[in-house]
Amino acid sequence: MRSAALLLLLFAGMALGQEFPSKPVRIVVPWPPSGNVDITGRTVAPAFGEALGQNVIVENRAGAAGAIGTAAVAKSAPDGYTLLLGSSGTITAGPAVWKTQHYDPLKDFVAVGPIQSVPIVLTAALKTPVSTYAEFVSLARSRQLSIASAGSGSSNHLAIELLMRMANLKLLHVPYKGSGPALTDLLGSQVESMMDQLTASIGHIRDGRIKAIAISSAKRSPLLPNVPTLDEVGVKGYEAATFTGIFAPAGIPKNVLERLNGALRKALRNDTVRERFGGMGVEIMDMSQAQFAAYVRTDYAKWQKVAREGNIVVE
C-alpha cells in the first residue's frame, strides 16, 4: 500500500510538472500574411510545437502597424497559451516613435526568446528607371519618388526615415497595412520603391520581379553578394536590422516562461528550420530569456534616440 501511495505521488508530481502545455499554443502575428514576421512564424511554428509537445497555431491579426494584434495579446491571460510574434516594428522601433501608445512594450510584455535578425533591403519596381543607388538618389532629387513600408511606425518606416535624414533625401512615404500588400503594389509598379526585410523580398529579387538597390546591414548579405550596403554607397554609418521573437503577456509564471524559452531554442536548432532561415538570409539568434530581455531594452533605447534626434513622431 505504501509503495502504491508513493507511486501515486510520483506520478502526480510528474503530471504537475508537465501541466504546461496541456492544449495548443497560439502565436499571434500582428501583420497580414506573406510579410517577414508571418514567414518567420510559419517557419518556426512546427518545430516549436514539436519541442513543446503541443500544436502551435499561427494566427494573423493585422492592423494599425501591428498595434491591434499586439495590444490584444497584451490583454490576454498570462498563461503561456497566447503569445506574440513581436518584432522591431511592434516592440522597439515602432513604439519609440508613436504619438499614441497602445501598450507599453517593456511593461506589458515579457521577452520569451528571439528567433532571428534580418537586414532591410532597398528595392525598386521594374518600371522605376533606376538600377543603382546613385540613380535612385538622382531620381529622388529630380522629382518626388514614392517608397513603401509595412506601415507608419513599422521598422521599415523607421529605416526610411533614417535613410532620408542621413542621406538628405526627400521621399514620398507610402504606408501599407503590412509588407504583403506593399510588395503586391511594388510588383505591379503601383509604388516605385520599398524598404523591407530581406526575408519577404528575396524571392522576388531572385525571380527578377523587383530590383535590389542596396542593403541596410553592416556587411553584404551572402544571398545578395553583388548588392552593396548603404554604407558602401555613401550613407556612412547607416545600419538597420530588424529582429523577431516570442513575447508573452506580463505576469507569465517563471516555469512556463522557461519552458517556452527552452522549447524555442530547441526549435531553432532544428535542421529544417536552420536550412529555411539560411535560404532567406537571416541570422538565427540564440539567447537565454534574460539575454533577450536585455537586447530588447537596448534596441528600444536606440530607436528612442533616433526618434528624438530626428524629431520623428508617427500619428
Side-chain angles (χ1 to χ4, degrees), residues 27 44 48 83-86 110-115 244-248 264 292:
I27 297 178
V44 79
F48 189 30
L83 304 173
L84 171 73
L85 190 53
V110 174
V112 174
I115 297 176
T244 56
I246 300 294
F247 293 80
L264 181 61
F292 183 48

Side-chain angles (χ1 to χ4, degrees), residues 118-142:
V118 58
I120 295 171
V121 61
L122 172 64
T123 57
L126 291 183
K127 291 184 180 180
T128 306
V130 301
S131 297
T132 66
Y133 179 73
E135 292 173 349
F136 178 85
V137 171
S138 179
L139 184 61
R141 288 179 176 160
S142 68

Side-chain angles (χ1 to χ4, degrees), residues 156-211:
N156 323 72
H157 176 206
L158 266 290
I160 292 169
E161 293 284 353
L162 187 61
L163 176 63
M164 287 195 288
R165 184 160 64 91
M166 293 183 68
N168 191 28
L169 289 175
K170 288 186 179 180
L171 302 168
L172 176 62
H173 174 227
V174 183
Y176 284 78
K177 293 182 178 179
S179 292
L183 275 168
T184 296
D185 274 8
L186 184 70
L187 290 166
S189 292
Q190 278 80 42
V191 67
E192 295 175 289
S193 63
M194 183 175 179
M195 286 195 83
D196 196 18
Q197 283 79 6
L198 183 60
T199 43
S201 301
I202 187 65
H204 302 302
I205 293 170
R206 285 170 171 162
D207 291 343
R209 302 178 69 194
I210 56 178
K211 296 175 284 188

Side-chain angles (χ1 to χ4, degrees), residues 91-98 101 300 303-305 307-308 312:
I91 297 296
T92 58
V97 299
W98 290 337
Q101 296 293 328
Y300 185 46
W303 288 112
Q304 280 186 315
K305 184 174 184 291
R308 186 168 58 250
I312 303 169

Side-chain angles (χ1 to χ4, degrees), residues 7-67:
L7 283 172
L8 184 61
L9 286 172
L10 176 62
F11 286 127
M14 290 173 63
L16 285 173
Q18 296 174 354
E19 184 177 351
F20 177 85
S22 60
K23 60 182 181 180
V25 172
R26 181 170 60 117
I27 297 178
V28 174
V29 173
W31 302 98
S34 302
N36 169 64
V37 182
D38 180 66
I39 292 169
T40 298
R42 296 185 187 281
T43 297
V44 79
F48 189 30
E50 183 179 341
L52 282 173
Q54 277 288 347
N55 287 333
V56 171
I57 302 166
V58 176
E59 176 185 312
N60 296 89
R61 190 165 182 180

